[in-house]
Amino acid sequence: MNAIKKILGLVWIGIGVAAAYFLIIDQAIPKFESGKPEDMIPAIIYTFVLAPIIVGGLGIFGYYSLTGEYSDK
């Protein structure tokens, strides 16, 4: 069971990287490039609020899972 938890730690880190790519590349950059004022607020929220919270949370959860913090002792 502990081996599965460590493998899933890598999965969570991968999901965090995919979320960062989606939020910044697919969502924020096109809104920044549009130049419309109504697109700037969501782009700023995606980049500076949502991305760090989501990526940080998934990354820390995956790191703890890899290091064995959730192992059965």
Side-chain angles (χ1 to χ4, degrees), residues 42-65:
I44 291 169
I45 291 171
Y46 292 151
T47 304
F48 298 110
V49 177
L50 291 177
I53 292 171
I54 293 170
V55 174
L58 290 171
I60 290 173
F61 185 73
Y63 172 75
Y64 284 158
S65 183

Side-chain angles (χ1 to χ4, degrees), residues 1-3 14-15 22 26-28 32 34 39-40 44 46 50-52 54 56 62-63 66-68 73:
M1 188 68 174
N2 289 335
I15 291 172
F22 176 74
D26 287 345
Q27 295 293 317
F32 276 126
S34 74
D39 284 343
M40 293 301 286
I44 291 169
Y46 292 151
L50 291 177
I54 293 170
Y63 172 75
L66 277 177
T67 57
K73 293 182 182 181

Side-chain angles (χ1 to χ4, degrees), residues 4-40:
I4 293 172
K5 290 178 184 177
K6 288 187 180 193
I7 291 170
L8 288 176
L10 289 174
V11 172
W12 284 113
I13 292 172
I15 291 172
V17 170
Y21 177 83
F22 176 74
L23 281 173
I24 294 174
I25 302 298
D26 287 345
Q27 295 293 317
I29 290 178
K31 291 194 179 292
F32 276 126
E33 291 175 348
S34 74
K36 297 178 186 174
E38 61 268 8
D39 284 343
M40 293 301 286

